[in-house]
Amino acid sequence: MSSLEVKDYLGEIRSHLRLDPSAERQVIGEICAHFRDKVDDLKGQGLTHADAARRAIEAFGRPKVVARLMCDAFGRGSWSDALMAALPHALVAILFASHLWRTPAAGIPVWFFIVCVTLFGWSRGKPRWLYSWIGYSLSPLLIIGFLSYGTAGQAVGFALNGFRGELPGLPGTALVLGFYVCAAWVVGRTVVRVVRRDWLLASVMIVPLPIIGSWLFFLGKAGGLVQSDLPPLHLWDESMAMAFLALAAGSATFVRIRKRLWKVIALVLIASTTLVALGPNLWGAHGFLQLSLFFLLMVVFLLSPALVESKVGHGEGEDDVWWNEYWSDEVSSPYPRS
Amino acid sequence: MPEENLDYPPDLLRGNTENLLLSLIDELPQTYGYQLIKEILSRSRGFLRFKEGTVYPALRKLENEGLIHGEWLTLANGQRRRAYRITPRGREALHKRVAMWKGFTDAINLVLRPARAQEAR
């Protein structure tokens, strides 16, 4: 066995880690220092380098188990992380509870604040609380998409009709279609980048979107976003506020849970229950079968990032083989040379 | 995780890994993962054997709980190691855990003693 296999072993551990990049570097760096010491010790006992490396790997244990234990060790966020993760949901809940979402002078500054915090967190090593903020930063794309779907629908109808009939104004159509393409690119790229770290964080990120989407759907049926002063909407504001408060509690719980499996269960249960509880208010009374269908759809939606991860892989970014620098045959230094 | 072919159930060691680490870190200033593994093996005369990869998650857990503090040190030869020292909170937790362990083993010994005496007969 050569040190190439130690590199593979490190890579295998890394592929199962679900930590932020700086934590992953520290973990791999520490394990690499261990291997250096161990291999040097075994070589001192008369083993060849290859045998020493093999013995060191055997003694360390299965990479998947080590990675899982490491994720569990890092899995639990602090109370301040939990508070930060809950904050964007709570802010949106306040907007709905106070009916202030209808006042652009209140809604836009809140969104701007959320975007600023998101950019701050993104540039500061993507802490674990960041992901619930990203979802709300992206939500205006959903709202603008909703507002312009009439034009887009007309354009698609025109194309499906063999380019016959009436096309809405060309500049407007081009603008709307361009927006859809850009929005899809931004959302897709963000989701892929988050999924490469951990698909579960991508689920946390997208969890508010079905709730906002359902609400927009209802608004569309009730006359549209611009006619939102209709009296029944006040009732909706309370339900939406409760839903986002539930998400706030769910996000905080998610951050504080240590075990990954429990995180998945907590996220799916809280989000799905929230949507199901909101469903009858949004779309009218539904039977058990329909509520079950909503629940299932939400579960599938929340687990879909796992499918994306199976396609795009984990941690395969611009520096996908960075751990190679930690281990080399030729040099005796076990850890990145400063 | 202890190796499989030992004379004690793996859970027995697994449940005490953190206590052993905490105690050694209290005793050895600026110690590191590999040294801790060797120390446990040496002091237990080879009886307590870990899957070595389980020690590092245990160290991280202790660190996240604020019981130990880890920092990267650069050695004279340019190598870098993550060294650990116990925190005041860790020392307090260690005293409690040692007292609890002593109470527990004393109680177990009190129960087992008649059996031992019977075996001797």
Side-chain angles (χ1 to χ4, degrees):
Chain A
M1 178 154 317
S2 68
S3 77
L4 181 65
E5 289 176 28
V6 175
K7 280 184 192 172
D8 291 342
Y9 183 82
L10 293 174
E12 182 74 11
I13 291 181
R14 164 68 173 74
S15 72
H16 291 106
L17 287 176
R18 297 284 187 274
L19 307 173
D20 71 66
S22 65
E24 288 187 358
R25 280 173 186 273
Q26 298 225 355
V27 166
I28 297 293
E30 189 172 22
I31 293 173
C32 194
H34 168 94
F35 273 107
R36 260 313 154 183
D37 287 335
K38 179 87 178 179
V39 169
D40 283 349
D41 264 6
L42 292 171
K43 280 161 76 177
Q45 293 168 21
L47 267 67
T48 63
H49 182 88
D51 284 343
R54 182 177 50 78
R55 285 268 293 274
I57 287 174
E58 279 171 8
F60 208 76
R62 285 189 294 142
K64 198 172 178 178
V65 173
V66 175
R68 181 176 53 76
L69 291 172
M70 201 55 96
C71 288
D72 287 349
F74 275 92
R76 189 179 200 179
S78 62
W79 282 109
S80 58
D81 286 334
L83 188 68
M84 280 298 285
L87 194 56
H89 300 296
L91 281 175
V92 176
I94 290 169
L95 278 184
F96 275 100
S98 59
H99 314 297
L100 278 173
W101 67 268
R102 300 164 195 211
T103 314
I108 291 173
V110 169
W111 177 75
F112 188 71
F113 173 71
I114 288 174
V115 171
C116 287
V117 174
T118 303
L119 293 175
F120 173 79
W122 191 276
S123 65
R124 294 294 179 100
K126 305 185 190 76
R128 67 183 83 217
W129 52 259
L130 171 69
Y131 298 89
S132 44
W133 293 78
I134 300 176
Y136 289 105
S137 296
L138 295 176
S139 61
L141 298 177
L142 192 67
I143 295 169
I144 296 171
F146 165 76
L147 288 173
S148 55
Y149 83 95
T151 310
Q154 270 184 300
V156 170
F158 178 75
L160 291 177
N161 214 21
F163 299 99
R164 286 192 298 273
E166 197 179 340
L167 177 69
L170 199 59
T173 306
L175 201 65
V176 167
L177 293 180
F179 167 79
Y180 275 108
V181 171
C182 289
W185 184 82
V186 168
V187 172
R189 189 164 163 74
T190 308
V191 167
V192 166
R193 288 194 69 168
V194 175
V195 161
R196 276 183 171 153
R197 173 171 165 187
D198 185 353
W199 67 263
L200 200 47
L201 294 175
S203 298
V204 171
M205 184 178 84
I206 62 176
V207 74
L209 298 184
I211 293 170
I212 296 173
S214 306
W215 174 70
L216 287 172
F217 179 77
F218 167 75
L219 282 185
K221 281 174 68 177
L225 197 59
V226 288
Q227 294 177 34
S228 55
D229 53 347
L230 296 170
L233 289 179
H234 286 286
L235 295 172
W236 280 102
D237 285 358
E238 283 172 23
S239 300
M240 291 294 286
M242 291 305 290
F244 286 112
L245 276 182
L247 283 189
S251 298
T253 309
F254 177 89
V255 168
R256 289 292 296 167
I257 292 174
R258 189 185 294 281
K259 297 275 181 192
R260 190 171 172 81
L261 180 64
W262 285 110
K263 280 181 188 278
V264 176
I265 292 170
L267 180 72
V268 166
L269 272 183
I270 291 166
S272 306
T273 310
T274 303
L275 187 67
V276 167
L278 202 59
N281 283 334
L282 283 171
W283 299 304
H286 287 292
F288 176 75
L289 205 64
Q290 284 159 312
L291 286 178
S292 303
L293 189 67
F294 289 148
F295 185 86
L296 274 178
L297 282 174
M298 187 66 166
V299 170
V300 169
F301 179 73
L302 289 176
L303 297 182
S304 62
L307 193 66
V308 177
E309 191 198 62
S310 70
K311 299 287 176 199
V312 302
H314 168 67
E316 294 164 8
E318 57 285 356
D319 55 353
D320 58 336
V321 288
W322 53 263
W323 61 87
N324 282 353
E325 74 186 83
Y326 291 82
W327 184 270
S328 161
D329 260 341
E330 282 71 44
V331 291
S332 60
S333 175
Y335 188 54
R337 285 148 280 286
S338 37
Chain B
M1 186 188 299
E3 287 180 355
E4 283 172 7
N5 56 348
L6 293 176
D7 297 325
Y8 54 84
D11 283 345
L12 204 58
L13 179 55
R14 202 177 291 140
N16 287 290
T17 307
E18 288 175 23
N19 295 344
L20 295 175
L21 293 173
L22 205 52
S23 170
L24 287 175
I25 293 168
D26 183 37
E27 196 179 322
L28 307 168
Q30 298 289 10
T31 186
Y32 54 95
Y34 185 61
Q35 189 182 24
L36 290 166
I37 292 166
K38 284 206 303 185
E39 202 65 30
I40 290 172
L41 198 60
S42 144
R43 291 189 187 196
S44 68
R45 295 173 189 161
F47 187 76
L48 300 178
R49 283 181 173 273
F50 295 84
K51 274 293 182 196
E52 296 172 358
T54 61
V55 168
Y56 294 93
L59 286 170
R60 290 292 172 163
K61 189 162 171 274
L62 289 171
E63 191 175 1
N64 289 346
E65 287 169 0
L67 304 182
I68 60 173
H69 174 76
E71 59 185 341
W72 287 100
L73 296 181
T74 306
L75 308 181
N77 61 2
Q79 294 183 3
R80 295 189 75 203
R81 280 208 185 101
R82 191 159 180 82
Y84 296 94
R85 63 180 163 76
I86 198 160
T87 62
R89 198 174 145 201
R91 194 162 286 125
E92 195 181 322
L94 176 64
H95 291 320
K96 281 184 189 165
R97 289 180 188 200
V98 168
M100 195 192 302
W101 175 252
K102 278 185 178 156
F104 180 76
T105 49
D106 285 350
I108 294 284
N109 286 335
L110 283 173
V111 176
L112 292 181
R113 197 168 292 146
R116 275 205 209 129
Q118 209 167 24
E119 274 174 21
R121 271 187 253 132

